[in-house]
Amino acid sequence: MTVEANESYYAVIFSSQRTEGDNGYGRMADRMEQLAAEQPGFLGVESVRDAAGSGITISYWDSLEAIRNWKENPLHQTAQEKGKQDWYHNYNVKICKVERAYSSN
Amino acid sequence: MTVEANESYYAVIFSSQRTEGDNGYGRMADRMEQLAAEQPGFLGVESVRDAAGSGITISYWDSLEAIRNWKENPLHQTAQEKGKQDWYHNYNVKICKVERAYSSN
């Protein structure tokens, strides 16, 4: 992801605990990552899940409007419903404004 | 972590790729988590690392000043140096203002 330091952008932090079994999750997760990447204002995503099912996914967007549009995308809404019902014991979402960023290389 | 929706608070997103082997990392990580929790303004932390060594740690703080003080803590600075030299292939840090949060339960 290439973002100039003086542009403002946003992060959506999604922390979750997966239920047991796949139940169609893997396929939908791949689809959602692909679909998100096609949305206006999408800047990038990073995602980690450990063997015990704890996960953090952070997607980056250029505006709050882009985040809202993605949340309301019909296919994404279907995925969100399945997430609530089948895939996550629990999750939380935080919408953040990135104020500063630096990296080791 | 209990944070009222109308308080402003901050997240530090630390994404990293670990090197092979422990090299004292596990012990120091435990110490740093304990030490961070004792700092003024600390609100909480969540951390996930997968089997391939990709990790995301997010710590939450009540102000930018609390984040700066923690970054400058002498023991934490020692850990940061070891991190650069031995523990991480690469990492990036983002300092964010949490604008909205919600959870499934």
Side-chain angles (χ1 to χ4, degrees):
Chain A
M1 186 176 60
T2 306
V3 177
E4 294 297 318
N6 57 354
E7 282 174 36
S8 102
Y9 66 105
Y10 294 85
V12 179
I13 300 172
F14 180 79
S15 305
S16 63
Q17 181 62 48
R18 280 276 284 118
T19 51
E20 290 291 305
D22 186 69
N23 304 315
Y25 170 78
R27 194 164 155 261
M28 184 68 102
D30 291 347
R31 255 179 100 182
M32 284 305 113
E33 192 164 327
Q34 197 175 356
L35 188 62
E38 294 167 4
Q39 303 308 303
F42 175 85
L43 299 174
V45 65
E46 50 188 345
S47 194
V48 176
R49 188 171 302 280
D50 69 19
S54 287
I56 299 176
T57 297
I58 309 174
S59 58
Y60 297 97
W61 302 86
D62 71 3
S63 67
L64 291 172
E65 190 193 358
I67 291 169
R68 196 162 44 239
N69 287 340
W70 170 233
K71 185 173 163 56
E72 289 169 3
N73 176 288
L75 287 173
H76 187 204
Q77 291 231 323
T78 303
Q80 288 173 66
E81 279 307 308
K82 285 284 285 176
K84 277 181 211 174
Q85 286 165 30
D86 296 339
W87 296 325
Y88 302 116
H89 279 303
N90 53 68
Y91 61 82
N92 65 73
V93 179
K94 294 183 185 71
I95 297 174
C96 308
K97 183 168 192 291
V98 180
E99 308 238 324
R100 248 190 342 274
Y102 57 93
S103 75
S104 64
N105 46 17
Chain B
M1 185 175 59
T2 307
V3 177
E4 294 297 317
N6 57 353
E7 284 174 34
S8 103
Y9 67 104
Y10 294 84
V12 179
I13 300 171
F14 180 79
S15 305
S16 63
Q17 181 63 45
R18 281 275 285 118
T19 52
E20 291 290 305
D22 185 69
N23 305 313
Y25 170 79
R27 194 164 154 261
M28 184 69 101
D30 290 345
R31 253 180 100 183
M32 284 305 113
E33 192 165 326
Q34 197 175 356
L35 188 62
E38 294 166 5
Q39 303 308 303
F42 175 85
L43 300 175
V45 65
E46 51 187 346
S47 193
V48 177
R49 190 171 302 281
D50 69 18
S54 287
I56 299 177
T57 296
I58 310 175
S59 58
Y60 297 96
W61 302 85
D62 70 2
S63 67
L64 291 172
E65 191 193 358
I67 292 169
R68 197 163 45 241
N69 287 342
W70 170 234
K71 185 172 161 56
E72 290 169 5
N73 175 288
L75 288 173
H76 187 204
Q77 291 232 322
T78 303
Q80 287 172 66
E81 278 310 306
K82 284 285 286 177
K84 277 183 208 172
Q85 285 165 31
D86 297 339
W87 295 324
Y88 302 116
H89 281 302
N90 52 69
Y91 61 83
N92 65 73
V93 180
K94 294 183 184 74
I95 296 173
C96 307
K97 183 168 193 292
V98 179
E99 309 239 323
R100 246 190 345 272
Y102 56 92
S103 75
S104 62
N105 46 16

